[in-house]
Amino acid sequence: MDSTRYARGQEALARIHGHIGEGIMDALGDIAPDFARFIIEFPYGDICSREGLSPKERQIATIASLVTLGNAPTVLKAHIQGALNVGCTRDEIVEVIMQMSIYAGFPAAVNALLIAKDVFSELDLNQQA
């Protein structure tokens, strides 16, 4: 294991997902520790740590991609939260999802908007508590 790559990945994961990302990696570690390490090293340590796009731009691209896939609601939810963590506004997230209706279709956009609505509601509830 390349400890620099892993450390870079942990830093990027924490910046984007906060403690939630650590929880997801811990959950995967119970069943597939190598897979959890792969996620930290490659997507976060190698790709998300590159220069060229800001974390906000990367999250916008990720949300767009996940909406068009239409079959990754758990990951989409995590990246909507991550987008908010790196400076995206709720309006920007909604606009990205609406834009994807052109390419992914209305059902995928509706599903994604409902996921975003749930994320926003959870945040509002947590802020009131």
Side-chain angles (χ1 to χ4, degrees):
M1 174 172 67
D2 178 350
S3 61
T4 303
R5 184 177 183 217
Y6 189 84
R8 236 185 7 251
Q10 283 185 309
E11 182 181 311
L13 181 68
R15 181 178 58 247
I16 296 166
H17 296 293
H19 70 279
I20 294 170
E22 185 177 306
I24 293 169
M25 292 305 112
D26 289 345
L28 287 173
D30 290 346
I31 189 167
D34 286 339
F35 192 72
R37 180 178 49 80
F38 296 157
I39 291 172
I40 292 170
E41 289 177 346
F42 180 64
Y44 291 96
D46 292 341
I47 302 298
C48 292
S49 298
R50 291 175 56 83
E51 294 182 13
L53 292 176
S54 69
K56 180 178 175 178
E57 291 166 329
R58 289 186 189 282
Q59 287 304 298
I60 288 171
T62 301
I63 289 171
S65 179
L66 291 168
V67 171
T68 60
L69 283 175
N71 62 1
T74 302
V75 178
L76 177 60
K77 180 178 179 178
H79 282 282
I80 289 171
Q81 177 63 54
L84 293 167
N85 290 344
V86 297
C88 287
T89 66
R90 293 176 182 201
D91 289 341
E92 288 171 327
I93 292 167
V94 168
E95 286 298 322
V96 169
I97 294 170
M98 289 175 57
Q99 177 73 23
M100 292 306 100
S101 70
I102 300 168
Y103 306 99
F106 278 83
V110 167
N111 288 341
L113 286 168
L114 292 174
I115 290 168
K117 181 179 177 180
D118 287 346
V119 170
F120 301 159
S121 294
E122 287 176 22
L123 287 173
D124 291 342
L125 284 174
N126 289 338
Q127 289 175 353
Q128 291 174 0

